PDB file of all heavy atoms in Angstrom:
ATOM      1  N   PHE A   4       2.190   5.187   4.851  1.00 97.00           N
ATOM      2  CA  PHE A   4       1.994   6.657   4.443  1.00 97.00           C
ATOM      3  C   PHE A   4       1.855   7.496   5.728  1.00 97.00           C
ATOM      4  O   PHE A   4       0.944   7.165   6.528  1.00 97.00           O
ATOM      5  CB  PHE A   4       0.786   6.655   3.682  1.00 97.00           C
ATOM      6  CG  PHE A   4       0.919   5.769   2.268  1.00 97.00           C
ATOM      7  CD1 PHE A   4       0.228   4.534   2.276  1.00 97.00           C
ATOM      8  CD2 PHE A   4       1.675   6.095   1.268  1.00 97.00           C
ATOM      9  CE1 PHE A   4       0.245   3.806   1.259  1.00 97.00           C
ATOM     10  CE2 PHE A   4       1.735   5.286   0.153  1.00 97.00           C
ATOM     11  CZ  PHE A   4       1.003   4.053   0.141  1.00 97.00           C
ATOM     12  N   ILE A   7      -0.721  13.815   5.718  1.00 94.00           N
ATOM     13  CA  ILE A   7      -0.526  14.515   4.425  1.00 94.00           C
ATOM     14  C   ILE A   7       0.427  15.560   4.447  1.00 94.00           C
ATOM     15  O   ILE A   7       1.399  15.922   3.603  1.00 94.00           O
ATOM     16  CB  ILE A   7      -1.900  15.117   3.980  1.00 94.00           C
ATOM     17  CG1 ILE A   7      -1.864  15.559   2.534  1.00 94.00           C
ATOM     18  CG2 ILE A   7      -2.352  16.233   4.904  1.00 94.00           C
ATOM     19  CD1 ILE A   7      -1.689  14.483   1.551  1.00 94.00           C
ATOM     20  N   LEU A  10       3.914  13.612   4.082  1.00 94.00           N
ATOM     21  CA  LEU A  10       3.971  12.441   3.161  1.00 94.00           C
ATOM     22  C   LEU A  10       5.210  12.633   2.258  1.00 94.00           C
ATOM     23  O   LEU A  10       5.871  11.719   1.976  1.00 94.00           O
ATOM     24  CB  LEU A  10       2.603  12.551   2.388  1.00 94.00           C
ATOM     25  CG  LEU A  10       2.550  11.343   1.291  1.00 94.00           C
ATOM     26  CD1 LEU A  10       2.650  10.106   2.083  1.00 94.00           C
ATOM     27  CD2 LEU A  10       1.273  11.450   0.602  1.00 94.00           C
ATOM     28  N   GLU A  11       5.518  13.940   1.725  1.00 94.00           N
ATOM     29  CA  GLU A  11       6.643  14.104   0.979  1.00 94.00           C
ATOM     30  C   GLU A  11       7.958  14.159   1.602  1.00 94.00           C
ATOM     31  O   GLU A  11       8.925  14.056   0.911  1.00 94.00           O
ATOM     32  CB  GLU A  11       6.353  15.308   0.107  1.00 94.00           C
ATOM     33  CG  GLU A  11       5.218  15.223  -0.756  1.00 94.00           C
ATOM     34  CD  GLU A  11       5.058  16.541  -1.709  1.00 94.00           C
ATOM     35  OE1 GLU A  11       4.484  17.536  -1.142  1.00 94.00           O
ATOM     36  OE2 GLU A  11       5.483  16.529  -2.704  1.00 94.00           O
ATOM     37  N   VAL A  33       9.047  -0.058  -5.115  1.00 96.00           N
ATOM     38  CA  VAL A  33       9.293   1.380  -4.830  1.00 96.00           C
ATOM     39  C   VAL A  33       8.500   2.216  -5.866  1.00 96.00           C
ATOM     40  O   VAL A  33       7.967   3.221  -5.451  1.00 96.00           O
ATOM     41  CB  VAL A  33      10.774   1.670  -4.992  1.00 96.00           C
ATOM     42  CG1 VAL A  33      11.122   3.188  -4.848  1.00 96.00           C
ATOM     43  CG2 VAL A  33      11.552   1.018  -3.804  1.00 96.00           C
ATOM     44  N   LEU A  34       8.509   1.806  -7.061  1.00 96.00           N
ATOM     45  CA  LEU A  34       7.709   2.566  -8.138  1.00 96.00           C
ATOM     46  C   LEU A  34       6.175   2.522  -7.700  1.00 96.00           C
ATOM     47  O   LEU A  34       5.536   3.555  -7.827  1.00 96.00           O
ATOM     48  CB  LEU A  34       7.917   1.864  -9.524  1.00 96.00           C
ATOM     49  CG  LEU A  34       7.031   2.488 -10.655  1.00 96.00           C
ATOM     50  CD1 LEU A  34       7.266   3.910 -10.761  1.00 96.00           C
ATOM     51  CD2 LEU A  34       7.251   1.712 -11.842  1.00 96.00           C
ATOM     52  N   ILE A  35       5.669   1.406  -7.374  1.00 97.00           N
ATOM     53  CA  ILE A  35       4.372   1.285  -6.930  1.00 97.00           C
ATOM     54  C   ILE A  35       4.066   2.208  -5.781  1.00 97.00           C
ATOM     55  O   ILE A  35       3.044   2.970  -5.769  1.00 97.00           O
ATOM     56  CB  ILE A  35       4.065  -0.241  -6.504  1.00 97.00           C
ATOM     57  CG1 ILE A  35       4.029  -1.030  -7.729  1.00 97.00           C
ATOM     58  CG2 ILE A  35       2.567  -0.210  -5.810  1.00 97.00           C
ATOM     59  CD1 ILE A  35       4.026  -2.611  -7.500  1.00 97.00           C
ATOM     60  N   TYR A  36       4.876   2.278  -4.880  1.00 97.00           N
ATOM     61  CA  TYR A  36       4.802   3.035  -3.695  1.00 97.00           C
ATOM     62  C   TYR A  36       4.839   4.635  -4.127  1.00 97.00           C
ATOM     63  O   TYR A  36       3.998   5.401  -3.678  1.00 97.00           O
ATOM     64  CB  TYR A  36       5.893   2.842  -2.715  1.00 97.00           C
ATOM     65  CG  TYR A  36       5.881   3.830  -1.434  1.00 97.00           C
ATOM     66  CD1 TYR A  36       4.943   3.591  -0.434  1.00 97.00           C
ATOM     67  CD2 TYR A  36       6.781   4.878  -1.368  1.00 97.00           C
ATOM     68  CE1 TYR A  36       4.812   4.398   0.684  1.00 97.00           C
ATOM     69  CE2 TYR A  36       6.625   5.703  -0.243  1.00 97.00           C
ATOM     70  CZ  TYR A  36       5.639   5.462   0.740  1.00 97.00           C
ATOM     71  OH  TYR A  36       5.575   6.356   1.831  1.00 97.00           O
ATOM     72  N   GLU A  37       5.761   4.973  -4.994  1.00 97.00           N
ATOM     73  CA  GLU A  37       5.792   6.380  -5.433  1.00 97.00           C
ATOM     74  C   GLU A  37       4.480   6.807  -6.169  1.00 97.00           C
ATOM     75  O   GLU A  37       4.118   7.979  -6.049  1.00 97.00           O
ATOM     76  CB  GLU A  37       7.138   6.506  -6.382  1.00 97.00           C
ATOM     77  CG  GLU A  37       8.311   6.549  -5.595  1.00 97.00           C
ATOM     78  CD  GLU A  37       9.548   6.679  -6.484  1.00 97.00           C
ATOM     79  OE1 GLU A  37       9.406   6.620  -7.644  1.00 97.00           O
ATOM     80  OE2 GLU A  37      10.637   6.614  -5.997  1.00 97.00           O
ATOM     81  N   LEU A  38       4.015   5.843  -7.043  1.00 97.00           N
ATOM     82  CA  LEU A  38       2.756   6.197  -7.695  1.00 97.00           C
ATOM     83  C   LEU A  38       1.689   6.306  -6.684  1.00 97.00           C
ATOM     84  O   LEU A  38       0.741   7.224  -6.905  1.00 97.00           O
ATOM     85  CB  LEU A  38       2.394   5.025  -8.796  1.00 97.00           C
ATOM     86  CG  LEU A  38       3.426   5.113  -9.997  1.00 97.00           C
ATOM     87  CD1 LEU A  38       3.102   3.812 -10.694  1.00 97.00           C
ATOM     88  CD2 LEU A  38       3.351   6.249 -10.687  1.00 97.00           C
ATOM     89  N   ALA A  39       1.634   5.469  -5.626  1.00 97.00           N
ATOM     90  CA  ALA A  39       0.571   5.644  -4.646  1.00 97.00           C
ATOM     91  C   ALA A  39       0.715   6.943  -3.953  1.00 97.00           C
ATOM     92  O   ALA A  39      -0.238   7.585  -3.578  1.00 97.00           O
ATOM     93  CB  ALA A  39       0.632   4.459  -3.597  1.00 97.00           C
ATOM     94  N   VAL A  40       1.892   7.372  -3.532  1.00 97.00           N
ATOM     95  CA  VAL A  40       2.213   8.645  -2.964  1.00 97.00           C
ATOM     96  C   VAL A  40       1.648   9.809  -3.822  1.00 97.00           C
ATOM     97  O   VAL A  40       0.992  10.826  -3.406  1.00 97.00           O
ATOM     98  CB  VAL A  40       3.602   8.838  -2.577  1.00 97.00           C
ATOM     99  CG1 VAL A  40       3.968  10.360  -2.189  1.00 97.00           C
ATOM    100  CG2 VAL A  40       4.011   7.946  -1.482  1.00 97.00           C
ATOM    101  N   ASP A  41       1.996   9.757  -5.052  1.00 97.00           N
ATOM    102  CA  ASP A  41       1.514  10.855  -5.975  1.00 97.00           C
ATOM    103  C   ASP A  41      -0.052  10.925  -5.991  1.00 97.00           C
ATOM    104  O   ASP A  41      -0.600  11.955  -6.039  1.00 97.00           O
ATOM    105  CB  ASP A  41       1.892  10.552  -7.446  1.00 97.00           C
ATOM    106  CG  ASP A  41       3.397  10.785  -7.658  1.00 97.00           C
ATOM    107  OD1 ASP A  41       3.999  11.552  -6.687  1.00 97.00           O
ATOM    108  OD2 ASP A  41       4.005  10.253  -8.654  1.00 97.00           O
ATOM    109  N   TRP A  42      -0.652   9.738  -6.057  1.00 96.00           N
ATOM    110  CA  TRP A  42      -2.037   9.620  -6.081  1.00 96.00           C
ATOM    111  C   TRP A  42      -2.697  10.299  -4.794  1.00 96.00           C
ATOM    112  O   TRP A  42      -3.628  10.980  -4.774  1.00 96.00           O
ATOM    113  CB  TRP A  42      -2.622   8.245  -6.371  1.00 96.00           C
ATOM    114  CG  TRP A  42      -4.064   8.160  -6.477  1.00 96.00           C
ATOM    115  CD1 TRP A  42      -4.940   8.734  -7.494  1.00 96.00           C
ATOM    116  CD2 TRP A  42      -5.046   7.534  -5.555  1.00 96.00           C
ATOM    117  NE1 TRP A  42      -6.223   8.428  -7.236  1.00 96.00           N
ATOM    118  CE2 TRP A  42      -6.236   7.731  -6.001  1.00 96.00           C
ATOM    119  CE3 TRP A  42      -4.716   6.736  -4.280  1.00 96.00           C
ATOM    120  CZ2 TRP A  42      -7.342   7.149  -5.365  1.00 96.00           C
ATOM    121  CZ3 TRP A  42      -5.882   6.339  -3.664  1.00 96.00           C
ATOM    122  CH2 TRP A  42      -7.156   6.495  -4.236  1.00 96.00           C
ATOM    123  N   LEU A  43      -2.090   9.872  -3.639  1.00 97.00           N
ATOM    124  CA  LEU A  43      -2.492  10.394  -2.365  1.00 97.00           C
ATOM    125  C   LEU A  43      -2.378  11.922  -2.251  1.00 97.00           C
ATOM    126  O   LEU A  43      -3.186  12.620  -1.671  1.00 97.00           O
ATOM    127  CB  LEU A  43      -1.752   9.778  -1.082  1.00 97.00           C
ATOM    128  CG  LEU A  43      -2.181   8.312  -0.827  1.00 97.00           C
ATOM    129  CD1 LEU A  43      -1.337   7.801   0.190  1.00 97.00           C
ATOM    130  CD2 LEU A  43      -3.670   8.356  -0.284  1.00 97.00           C
ATOM    131  N   LEU A  44      -1.255  12.463  -2.804  1.00 96.00           N
ATOM    132  CA  LEU A  44      -1.050  13.875  -2.773  1.00 96.00           C
ATOM    133  C   LEU A  44      -2.234  14.644  -3.513  1.00 96.00           C
ATOM    134  O   LEU A  44      -2.490  15.850  -3.120  1.00 96.00           O
ATOM    135  CB  LEU A  44       0.321  14.254  -3.426  1.00 96.00           C
ATOM    136  CG  LEU A  44       1.496  13.964  -2.465  1.00 96.00           C
ATOM    137  CD1 LEU A  44       2.769  13.976  -3.250  1.00 96.00           C
ATOM    138  CD2 LEU A  44       1.539  14.719  -1.293  1.00 96.00           C
ATOM    139  N   GLU A  45      -2.847  14.003  -4.475  1.00 95.00           N
ATOM    140  CA  GLU A  45      -4.044  14.665  -5.185  1.00 95.00           C
ATOM    141  C   GLU A  45      -5.140  14.855  -4.207  1.00 95.00           C
ATOM    142  O   GLU A  45      -6.065  15.690  -4.472  1.00 95.00           O
ATOM    143  CB  GLU A  45      -4.358  13.803  -6.357  1.00 95.00           C
ATOM    144  CG  GLU A  45      -3.325  13.851  -7.490  1.00 95.00           C
ATOM    145  CD  GLU A  45      -3.735  12.926  -8.657  1.00 95.00           C
ATOM    146  OE1 GLU A  45      -4.929  12.537  -8.644  1.00 95.00           O
ATOM    147  OE2 GLU A  45      -2.857  12.596  -9.466  1.00 95.00           O
ATOM    148  N   GLN A  46      -5.227  14.150  -3.084  1.00 94.00           N
ATOM    149  CA  GLN A  46      -6.233  14.061  -2.067  1.00 94.00           C
ATOM    150  C   GLN A  46      -5.959  15.121  -1.020  1.00 94.00           C
ATOM    151  O   GLN A  46      -6.788  15.182   0.026  1.00 94.00           O
ATOM    152  CB  GLN A  46      -6.440  12.779  -1.417  1.00 94.00           C
ATOM    153  CG  GLN A  46      -6.603  11.701  -2.573  1.00 94.00           C
ATOM    154  CD  GLN A  46      -7.728  12.037  -3.552  1.00 94.00           C
ATOM    155  OE1 GLN A  46      -8.751  12.405  -3.284  1.00 94.00           O
ATOM    156  NE2 GLN A  46      -7.360  11.660  -4.823  1.00 94.00           N
ATOM    157  N   ARG A  47      -4.920  15.860  -1.111  1.00 92.00           N
ATOM    158  CA  ARG A  47      -4.471  16.816  -0.060  1.00 92.00           C
ATOM    159  C   ARG A  47      -5.467  17.816   0.486  1.00 92.00           C
ATOM    160  O   ARG A  47      -5.459  18.225   1.568  1.00 92.00           O
ATOM    161  CB  ARG A  47      -3.104  17.429  -0.363  1.00 92.00           C
ATOM    162  CG  ARG A  47      -3.387  18.556  -1.351  1.00 92.00           C
ATOM    163  CD  ARG A  47      -1.931  19.242  -1.680  1.00 92.00           C
ATOM    164  NE  ARG A  47      -1.376  18.286  -2.569  1.00 92.00           N
ATOM    165  CZ  ARG A  47      -0.271  18.523  -3.135  1.00 92.00           C
ATOM    166  NH1 ARG A  47       0.487  19.507  -2.878  1.00 92.00           N
ATOM    167  NH2 ARG A  47       0.307  17.527  -4.012  1.00 92.00           N
ATOM    168  N   TYR A  53      -8.385  11.546   1.990  1.00 97.00           N
ATOM    169  CA  TYR A  53      -6.980  11.119   2.246  1.00 97.00           C
ATOM    170  C   TYR A  53      -6.868   9.937   3.117  1.00 97.00           C
ATOM    171  O   TYR A  53      -6.144   8.975   2.888  1.00 97.00           O
ATOM    172  CB  TYR A  53      -6.032  12.341   2.539  1.00 97.00           C
ATOM    173  CG  TYR A  53      -4.575  11.902   2.830  1.00 97.00           C
ATOM    174  CD1 TYR A  53      -3.723  11.717   1.851  1.00 97.00           C
ATOM    175  CD2 TYR A  53      -4.284  11.667   4.120  1.00 97.00           C
ATOM    176  CE1 TYR A  53      -2.452  11.336   2.104  1.00 97.00           C
ATOM    177  CE2 TYR A  53      -2.890  11.212   4.463  1.00 97.00           C
ATOM    178  CZ  TYR A  53      -2.025  11.044   3.357  1.00 97.00           C
ATOM    179  OH  TYR A  53      -0.766  10.660   3.681  1.00 97.00           O
ATOM    180  N   TYR A  56      -8.346   6.695   1.716  1.00 97.00           N
ATOM    181  CA  TYR A  56      -7.520   6.099   0.687  1.00 97.00           C
ATOM    182  C   TYR A  56      -6.241   5.567   1.168  1.00 97.00           C
ATOM    183  O   TYR A  56      -5.649   4.478   0.800  1.00 97.00           O
ATOM    184  CB  TYR A  56      -7.167   7.099  -0.484  1.00 97.00           C
ATOM    185  CG  TYR A  56      -8.430   7.556  -1.201  1.00 97.00           C
ATOM    186  CD1 TYR A  56      -8.496   8.814  -1.907  1.00 97.00           C
ATOM    187  CD2 TYR A  56      -9.564   6.848  -1.235  1.00 97.00           C
ATOM    188  CE1 TYR A  56      -9.562   9.128  -2.621  1.00 97.00           C
ATOM    189  CE2 TYR A  56     -10.791   7.251  -1.871  1.00 97.00           C
ATOM    190  CZ  TYR A  56     -10.749   8.391  -2.624  1.00 97.00           C
ATOM    191  OH  TYR A  56     -11.790   8.754  -3.395  1.00 97.00           O
ATOM    192  N   LEU A  60      -5.002   1.792   0.859  1.00 96.00           N
ATOM    193  CA  LEU A  60      -3.681   1.543   0.014  1.00 96.00           C
ATOM    194  C   LEU A  60      -2.797   0.796   0.939  1.00 96.00           C
ATOM    195  O   LEU A  60      -2.038  -0.138   0.409  1.00 96.00           O
ATOM    196  CB  LEU A  60      -3.145   2.884  -0.318  1.00 96.00           C
ATOM    197  CG  LEU A  60      -3.389   3.365  -1.652  1.00 96.00           C
ATOM    198  CD1 LEU A  60      -2.841   4.697  -1.908  1.00 96.00           C
ATOM    199  CD2 LEU A  60      -2.946   2.431  -2.870  1.00 96.00           C
ATOM    200  N   LEU A  64      -1.507  -2.779  -0.344  1.00 97.00           N
ATOM    201  CA  LEU A  64      -0.052  -2.963  -0.599  1.00 97.00           C
ATOM    202  C   LEU A  64       0.585  -3.969   0.378  1.00 97.00           C
ATOM    203  O   LEU A  64       1.444  -4.797  -0.053  1.00 97.00           O
ATOM    204  CB  LEU A  64       0.671  -1.591  -0.528  1.00 97.00           C
ATOM    205  CG  LEU A  64       0.418  -0.649  -1.712  1.00 97.00           C
ATOM    206  CD1 LEU A  64       1.154   0.638  -1.451  1.00 97.00           C
ATOM    207  CD2 LEU A  64       0.532  -1.373  -3.044  1.00 97.00           C
TER     208      LEU A  64
END
Side-chain angles (χ1 to χ4, degrees):
F4 306 99
I7 194 70
L10 184 60
E11 293 182 279
V33 171
L34 174 62
I35 293 167
Y36 179 79
E37 288 175 359
L38 293 171
V40 167
D41 288 345
W42 184 67
L43 282 173
L44 286 170
E45 293 177 13
Q46 310 307 317
R47 75 182 76 178
Y53 175 80
Y56 296 158
L60 271 173
L64 293 179

